[in-house]
C-alpha cells in the first residue's frame, strides 16, 4: 500500500492524472477515494495473509524434519518415503519432501567433525582451519577447494547437530542477492533430532561462543601456541582421533594425548619438548 501511495502522490506532484482500472467513473471525489483506499487496504491485508500462510507452511516443513535448500557439506538430501504423498498442485506436480542423510563419502563427516573441533577446542580462525584442511586433501575431500566462507558457514550451521533449522536468514532485505542473519530467537527448530548429527548441540553452542570471542579479538586457545611452536620447527600438528575428554595428536614422529581444554602448564611443557621431536 505504501508503494502504491508513493507512486500515486509522485505522479500527482508531476501533474499526471491517476485512474485505477477498478474505479467507477463519475461520482464524487470522496467516493472515488473511498473505493481506491478500500481496494489498497484489501490488497495489503491479502499480501500479509499470504506471507503468514507461506511462512506457516515453511515452519511446519522444518518441524517435521524436512530440509530447506542445498544440503550442508556432510549430507545429501534424500526423499522421505514416510512423508504424506501429495497430489497435483495448481502449478503442476508437487515436489517430494526430503530429509538429510550422511553423504556416501564418510570422510566428509569426519572432516566436518574435525573443523568444528578445531574451532571449539583449539580456537583456530577460519584461515588456519582452511590451511589444515587443504594440507590433507585425501582426508578432507571437497569439490573445488576449502575456503574461509565454507569453513565459517559449516561451523555456524546448526543442522550439523541433527536438528532441522529454518529461518536463519532473511532474504527480503531490499537488496538483490543480499541476506541478513536473523537472531537465534527467530529460528525454527525441529522438536527432536531428525538426521545423524556431526556434533552435539552443546558442542555446536561452544563453537559459536568461541567464534564470537574470536570476532571480538579474544586471544586464541592454548593449542595455537603449540601449533605456532611446531611450525617454527617445520613440524605439523595433526589430530589423529578424539573423544569427549582427550585428543590424540601426531607431532613429527611422536604422538601425544592432550585433554580438552589443555592446561597452560601442559602447553608449556609440550612446547619445551618439541625441540627433541625429530
Amino acid at each position: 500500500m505504501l508503494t502504491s501511495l508513493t507512486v500515486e502522490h509522485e505522479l500527482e506532484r508531476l501533474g499526471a492524472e491517476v485512474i485505477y482500472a477498478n474505479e467507477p467513473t463519475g461520482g464524487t471525489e470522496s467516493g472515488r477515494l473511498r473505493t481506491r483506499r478500500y481496494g489498497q487496504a484489501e490488497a495489503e491485508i491479502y499480501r500479509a495473509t499470504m506471507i503468514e500462510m507461506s511462512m506457516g507452511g515453511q515452519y511446519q516443513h522444518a518441524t517435521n524434519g524436512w530440509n530447506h535448500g542445498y544440503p550442508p557439506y556432510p549430507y545429501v538430501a534424500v526423499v522421505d518415503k514416510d512423508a504424506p504423498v501429495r497430489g497435483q498442485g495448481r502449478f503442476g506436480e508437487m515436489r517430494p519432501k526430503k530429509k538429510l542423510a550422511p553423504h556416501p563419502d564418510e570422510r566428509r563427516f569426519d572432516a566436518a567433525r574435525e573443523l568444528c573441533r578445531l574451532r571449539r577446542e583449539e580456537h583456530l580462525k577460519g584461515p588456519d582451519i582452511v590451511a589444515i584442511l587443504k594440507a590433507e586433501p585425501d582426508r578432507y575431500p571437497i569439490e573445488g577447494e576449502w575456503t574461509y566462507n565454507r569453513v565459517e558457514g559449516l561451523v555456524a550451521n546448526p543442522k550439523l547437530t541433527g536438528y532441522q533449522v529454518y529461518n536463519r536468514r532473511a532474504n527480503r532485505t531490499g537488496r538483490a542477492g543480499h541476506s541478513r542473519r536473523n537472531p537465534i530467537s527467530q529460528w525454527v527448530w525441529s522438536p527432536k533430532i531428525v538426521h545423524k548429527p556431526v556434533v552435539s548441540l552443546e558442542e555446536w553452542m561452544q563453537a559459536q561462543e568461541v567464534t564470537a570471542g574470536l570476532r571480538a579479538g579474544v586471544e586464541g586457545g592454548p593449542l595455537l601456541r603449540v601449533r605456532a611452536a611446531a611450525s617454527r620447527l617445520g613440524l605439523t600438528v595433526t589430530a589423529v582421533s578424539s573423544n569427549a575428554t582427550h585428543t590424540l595428536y601426531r607431532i613429527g614422529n611422536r604422538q601425544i594425548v592432550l585433554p580438552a581444554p589443555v592446561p597452560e602448564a601442559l602447553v608449556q611443557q609440550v612446547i619445551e619438548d618439541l625441540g627433541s621431536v625429530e
Side-chain angles (χ1 to χ4, degrees):
M1 186 171 181
L2 176 61
T3 302
S4 62
L5 286 173
T6 301
V7 173
E8 181 180 323
H9 287 201
E10 182 64 18
L11 289 174
E12 183 180 353
R13 187 184 67 83
L14 296 174
E17 183 181 7
V18 178
I19 300 175
Y20 283 67
N22 63 341
E23 290 179 0
T25 58
T28 62
E29 176 68 12
S30 60
R32 185 178 61 82
L33 280 176
R34 182 178 293 108
T35 301
R36 178 179 300 182
R37 298 296 180 250
Y38 280 170
Q40 290 170 333
E42 286 291 336
E44 184 76 5
I45 294 171
Y46 179 76
R47 174 181 177 275
T49 301
M50 292 298 294
I51 291 176
E52 289 174 351
M53 293 175 63
S54 174
M55 292 299 291
Q58 299 299 328
Y59 290 172
Q60 190 64 41
H61 189 273
T63 56
N64 284 335
W66 296 315
N67 186 59
H68 289 84
Y70 194 78
Y73 165 77
Y75 297 102
V76 292
V78 297
V79 175
D80 183 7
K81 297 180 180 179
D82 297 326
V85 178
R86 302 186 298 170
Q88 194 85 355
R90 61 180 297 189
F91 298 112
E93 186 176 354
M94 307 289 279
R95 288 183 297 177
K97 301 291 188 181
K98 293 185 177 182
K99 285 191 173 183
L100 294 180
H103 195 280
D105 190 344
E106 296 179 356
R107 295 176 298 172
R108 289 185 173 231
F109 237 71
D110 295 335
R113 186 178 291 114
E114 175 63 8
L115 71 85
C116 290
R117 189 197 67 80
L118 290 171
R119 172 58 55 81
R120 184 180 68 253
E121 295 183 7
E122 301 196 24
H123 296 209
L124 294 186
K125 297 181 179 179
D128 300 318
I129 297 177
V130 169
I132 292 173
L133 299 178
K134 281 185 174 181
E136 298 186 76
D138 292 336
R139 187 179 180 186
Y140 308 122
I142 192 171
E143 299 93 348
E145 63 178 7
W146 287 102
T147 64
Y148 173 86
N149 287 337
R150 280 184 167 180
V151 166
E152 293 296 338
L154 273 175
V155 170
N157 197 327
K159 293 183 181 180
L160 299 189
T161 65
Y163 291 87
Q164 190 57 248
V165 187
Y166 175 69
N167 202 38
R168 293 187 295 136
R169 289 184 175 274
N171 293 323
R172 297 182 181 89
T173 60
R175 298 175 60 196
H178 291 79
S179 61
R180 60 171 172 79
R181 294 182 181 274
N182 287 327
I184 294 182
S185 60
Q186 295 181 12
W187 295 5
V188 179
W189 296 69
S190 60
K192 61 182 181 180
I193 292 176
V194 293
H195 52 261
K196 183 179 179 180
V198 174
V199 294
S200 68
L201 181 59
E202 181 182 4
E203 290 173 332
W204 179 82
M205 293 176 65
Q206 291 172 353
Q208 308 319 301
E209 292 174 356
V210 173
T211 298
L214 292 175
R215 290 176 178 172
V218 178
E219 284 296 320
L223 278 168
L224 272 179
R225 292 162 49 200
V226 174
R227 288 187 179 275
S231 179
R232 289 193 293 270
L233 297 171
L235 303 172
T236 57
V237 180
T238 304
V240 179
S241 61
S242 64
N243 57 30
T245 59
H246 291 76
T247 300
L248 173 64
Y249 291 93
R250 183 174 64 249
I251 305 178
N253 61 354
R254 295 186 182 181
Q255 292 186 341
I256 61 173
V257 177
L258 298 176
V262 185
E264 287 292 336
L266 183 56
V267 169
Q268 190 58 38
Q269 179 183 339
V270 171
I271 292 175
E272 293 174 357
D273 292 343
L274 284 179
S276 60
V277 178
E278 299 179 0

